[in-house]
Amino acid sequence: MVRIDDSDDVTKCWLDQEELARLEDAAGREDWEREVALQLLGRCGFRADEVSYPGDAQLRWSDDAEGWLVEVRGKNTKGGDPTVRDAWMPESVEGNVRRFSRERERMTGEAWVQASTPTVRRWVKEAAQAVASDAARPERWEAVSSHDLRRSWATYHLVERQVDVRTMMSVGGWSDYSAIEPYLAEPTETRIGEAMRG
């Protein structure tokens, strides 16, 4: 794992892109809907309670962005009613959710993932346990949570890809800097090497 912080009450994990793929594969072996849920968390930066909202009706191609945007209803980090934002969806995820939607015969207005928030969180735990059974250090996978996928997504884009903070706040649903600041954690070894080699 890229990094684990167990200095607080809650253990925080940061997964790299290969580890996210392993987790998605493990979820997909159980059910394709689980794989879609984990991709929305780890590739699109959804919160667990946002996963069961969007479907084909919320997905659109943006000529201006030259990419796929998906409408998300989620937490208002300033408090109050949920907010609506457009999240970025990588083409690989878009292709997977479209195939899933066709095969499962989801109607345009139906959500791709039809599961409760606790169920989505359980799917992440079960996928992590499946990966742990084959991992060299299984104990590192035992703490992985649904929020770790969002944390990994945010850190990857902010630290590794150096996406600007305002863009990440917009696509990730953070209303102010103090809400996103915890994701600006220590750079990974990859990023340190790239920066220091110049």
Side-chain angles (χ1 to χ4, degrees):
M1 235 160 258
V2 173
R3 190 159 67 92
I4 293 180
D5 179 356
D6 59 2
S7 63
D8 206 353
D9 292 343
V10 176
T11 300
K12 300 173 186 172
C13 304
W14 286 262
L15 287 74
D16 64 25
Q17 297 298 293
E18 286 182 25
E19 290 166 334
L20 282 171
R22 288 175 64 194
L23 205 59
E24 293 162 0
D25 289 345
R29 283 193 296 274
E30 289 297 318
D31 185 75
W32 195 0
E33 186 174 20
R34 294 181 183 212
E35 177 184 327
V36 168
L38 268 67
Q39 286 184 327
L40 294 175
L41 294 164
R43 305 292 178 181
C44 302
F46 284 29
R47 296 175 180 95
D49 62 352
E50 297 170 339
V51 170
S52 63
Y53 169 68
D56 289 347
Q58 286 73 41
L59 183 62
R60 68 181 174 85
W61 173 262
S62 168
D63 288 331
D64 291 337
E66 296 182 14
W68 292 98
L69 298 176
V70 59
E71 179 184 298
V72 180
R73 283 184 198 223
K75 177 181 177 181
N76 183 341
T77 56
K78 289 184 179 179
D81 293 333
T83 60
V84 176
R85 72 179 188 277
D86 283 328
W88 177 263
M89 180 176 281
E91 285 190 34
S92 61
V93 177
E94 182 273 337
N96 195 38
V97 297
R98 292 279 194 184
R99 284 188 302 276
F100 172 81
S101 185
R102 280 192 307 272
E103 184 170 305
R104 298 288 172 96
E105 298 180 350
R106 295 284 199 257
M107 302 298 287
T108 301
E110 287 185 289
W112 297 311
V113 177
Q114 299 178 356
S116 67
T117 300
T119 298
V120 169
R121 289 183 176 132
R122 180 175 48 82
W123 288 350
V124 173
K125 287 290 190 188
E126 290 173 356
Q129 289 168 354
V131 172
S133 67
D134 295 329
R137 296 183 66 192
E139 71 281 358
R140 298 190 87 174
W141 287 93
E142 291 172 6
V144 172
S145 70
S146 60
H147 192 72
D148 291 326
L149 276 65
R150 178 173 164 83
R151 178 180 292 112
S152 299
W153 168 82
T155 302
Y156 170 72
H157 285 86
L158 287 164
V159 177
E160 298 297 317
R161 299 200 55 231
Q162 296 184 322
V163 174
D164 67 273
V165 172
R166 287 209 179 276
T167 297
M168 290 301 293
M169 287 173 64
S170 176
V171 299
W174 291 283
S175 57
D176 57 44
Y177 182 79
S178 65
I180 197 172
E181 193 274 332
Y183 298 91
L184 294 166
E186 298 174 29
T188 62
E189 290 179 6
T190 302
R191 181 68 198 121
I192 290 168
E194 288 171 356
M196 298 309 289
R197 283 193 305 272

